[in-house]
Amino acid sequence: TMQAPRKLASYIHRIGVVGPEDADRLGRELAARAGVEEVAVDPEAGVAYLKVDRQVFDAGSLPGGRS
C-alpha cells in the first residue's frame, strides 16, 4: 500500500525588502530549518513563502525578519 502524503501548511514570513544575494542566502537558511519543506523568496515584496510541517516547524526560530 502507498503511504499517505504528509499534510503541509503554507506560512508567510516577512523579511523586508532585500537584494537578490540576500534573498538567496535567506532562502537557504530558511530551507535548512526543521519542518520547512519548500521555500520561495520574493525579495521585492519582502516575503518568503514556506511550505511547512506544523508538527516540526517552529516559527519563533526563523531568521531575517518577523513573521
Side-chain angles (χ1 to χ4, degrees):
T1 62
M2 290 181 27
Q3 197 177 62
R6 291 188 322 188
K7 292 184 181 178
L8 299 178
S10 296
Y11 185 84
I12 298 174
H13 181 59
R14 300 186 197 294
I15 58 173
V17 177
V18 296
E21 297 84 18
D22 289 333
D24 289 341
R25 177 190 52 78
L26 188 55
R28 288 189 303 273
E29 287 179 15
L30 292 170
R33 298 289 174 173
V36 177
E37 297 295 323
E38 294 180 30
V39 177
V41 177
D42 185 342
E44 293 177 6
V47 295
Y49 301 96
L50 288 69
K51 290 285 186 173
V52 300
D53 178 344
R54 288 194 186 233
Q55 292 180 341
V56 180
F57 177 66
D58 176 16
S61 73
L62 293 178
R66 56 194 181 282
S67 303

